[in-house]
Amino acid sequence: MKFVAVLYPGPAEQHVDHSGLKLLGSTEGALGLAKMLESEGHDLVVLSDRDRALREHLADAHVFITTPFWPTYLSAHDLRRAQRLELVLTAGVGSDHVDAEAAAELGITVAEITGSNVVSVAEHAVMQLLALVRNYIPAYQQVVDGRWDIADIAASSHDIEDKTVGIVGMGQIGQRIALRLRGFDVKVLYNTKHRRSSTEEAVFGARFKHLDELVAQSDAIVLSCPLTPETKGLFDERRLRAMRPGSWLVNIARGQIVNTEALVEVLETGHLGGYAGDVWYPQPAPPNHPWRNMPGHALTPHVSGTTLEAQQRYAAGIQDSIRRYLDGEPLQEDYVVAQPN
């Protein structure tokens, strides 16, 4: 059988990690699949060129492996060309780069490694929130530039204690963000499709609010909801303008949840105090993406969910899924995003 994996390129230089963990999510690490598949006579193609993967390898692949950090966008048209394709696996969490509905209609199962990087993403979200509130990025840039202007940094630096933080999306990641914020003595509000029980709210230290109420009452908002037709463009110009003047927005969900041009506008006019995010659209973001040069940002290139520990977890999940597929066994139920009827 033919397996095709499109992963991010490995480092130009060899990096030593003394914990012994490897870059399993890169083309060099190949999710630890090479020995497993080749020893059983299967073909494994691993590359970072997404266009080449679609052009040369999708048509006769049985299994296609992609990742949220270096996604191959699989449209209905692409999937119809894949006459042998039976399974699309996402090495990580979030498969919105795959037309899952079309895949199911074509007899293709779509699955991802649920829960593999929720800890990593939650930690990253809190880090980015603190970076915004404490005005860390401009302070660091002063060091790089050889400056020492305390007033310039202090004028926009705050304590997070006693602030109100709104979390949009209270799934596994949102819950962990709320738990990690408890030690900062903040007031946590949340909005999610299905309200949590009173017991869960007590554990998370969070109170449910309708979205417009949350937006109006929050000093900072963290987006941790999935990309769906309902959440695409959820934070458009109107909702961004409805946020408190000087408030902060963190997005570790998906880039398309925030309107690209409207975000630039509210930062350039000073309505928002800053934006931090780990997600873009498209990905990788082109050099001329307008978010790269907007003021007050603390953006990263979708690295939150791919720590060395997270890579160990999602590589193990991919290996387990492929083993089950080859043995004719069902995948773990919570991994399945879409499957043929």
Side-chain angles (χ1 to χ4, degrees):
M1 306 189 87
K2 182 175 181 178
F3 295 76
V4 178
V6 184
L7 306 171
Y8 64 84
E13 299 179 3
Q14 184 65 36
H15 291 264
V16 177
D17 179 77
H18 296 289
S19 69
L21 302 181
K22 299 179 181 180
L23 280 173
L24 287 171
S26 72
T27 50
E28 282 74 10
L31 301 168
L33 294 174
K35 183 177 180 180
M36 169 185 171
L37 291 175
E38 292 171 2
S39 66
E40 298 181 19
H42 302 291
D43 293 327
L44 173 63
V45 177
V46 183
L47 68 171
S48 62
D49 187 331
R50 296 170 297 172
D51 291 336
R52 183 182 168 203
L54 295 177
R55 186 176 63 251
E56 298 181 14
H57 297 289
L58 180 63
D60 61 347
H62 296 89
V63 176
F64 195 93
I65 303 166
T66 178
T67 172
F69 321 106
W70 189 267
T72 302
Y73 295 94
L74 292 171
S75 67
H77 172 73
D78 296 322
L79 294 168
R80 278 192 288 270
R81 292 177 45 235
Q83 296 295 314
R84 299 183 180 179
L85 192 62
E86 297 179 343
L87 176 63
V88 175
L89 290 171
T90 294
V93 179
S95 298
D96 47 87
H97 50 283
V98 180
D99 189 330
E101 183 177 347
E105 291 176 356
L106 292 166
I108 302 167
T109 298
V110 179
E112 59 186 44
I113 312 307
T114 303
S116 59
N117 53 22
V118 293
V119 169
S120 313
V121 176
E123 290 181 355
H124 196 94
V126 175
M127 176 190 73
Q128 289 193 303
L129 176 59
L130 290 171
L132 287 181
V133 174
R134 297 306 299 266
N135 207 22
Y136 174 80
I137 299 300
Y140 171 77
Q141 193 60 48
Q142 277 200 20
V143 175
V144 173
D145 296 341
R147 299 172 58 215
W148 194 282
D149 186 347
I150 303 300
D152 183 54
I153 303 303
S156 299
S157 181
H158 298 264
D159 293 338
I160 196 172
E161 186 177 41
D162 294 328
K163 299 294 190 297
T164 298
V165 180
I167 301 175
V168 180
M170 196 54 107
Q172 292 192 62
I173 293 172
Q175 292 169 20
R176 283 165 174 79
I177 293 170
L179 290 171
R180 281 155 178 76
L181 287 174
R182 294 196 68 170
F184 290 98
D185 291 327
V186 298
K187 179 181 179 181
V188 177
L189 309 176
Y190 80 96
N191 176 267
T192 196
K193 189 173 183 179
H194 301 290
R195 182 173 180 171
R196 303 306 173 192
S197 68
S198 57
T199 301
E200 290 175 312
E201 290 184 349
V203 171
F204 304 141
R207 293 174 56 195
F208 178 85
K209 290 288 182 180
H210 294 292
L211 183 58
D212 288 339
E213 292 179 303
L214 180 148
V215 169
Q217 297 175 25
S218 296
D219 299 300
I221 295 174
V222 181
L223 304 180
S224 62
C225 50
L227 179 64
T228 66
E230 291 75 26
T231 62
K232 185 177 181 179
L234 185 66
F235 274 69
D236 55 10
E237 183 177 5
R238 182 192 70 80
R239 187 154 276 129
L240 290 169
R241 290 286 179 190
M243 290 177 63
R244 286 182 172 180
S247 60
W248 304 279
L249 180 62
V250 176
N251 182 9
I252 44 80
R254 285 295 183 263
Q256 287 181 289
I257 294 173
V258 179
N259 181 277
T260 298
E261 293 76 19
L263 177 62
V264 175
E265 174 69 17
V266 295
L267 286 171
E268 288 182 342
T269 60
H271 178 70
L272 289 189
Y275 175 84
D278 187 53
V279 287
W280 307 64
Y281 183 79
Q283 292 188 160
N288 63 347
H289 195 291
W291 286 1
R292 290 184 183 271
N293 298 309
M294 62 187 180
H297 82 72
L299 282 155
T300 51
H302 207 166
V303 294
S304 63
T306 190
T307 61
L308 292 173
E309 290 79 6
Q311 289 181 59
Q312 291 276 324
R313 292 189 291 268
Y314 66 67
I318 291 292
Q319 293 170 29
D320 175 73
S321 297
I322 289 178
R323 182 76 274 155
R324 289 168 179 254
Y325 166 75
L326 290 173
D327 291 345
E329 299 177 359
L331 304 187
Q332 290 195 43
E333 186 176 351
D334 60 335
Y335 285 5
V336 177
V337 175
Q339 59 186 349
N341 297 325

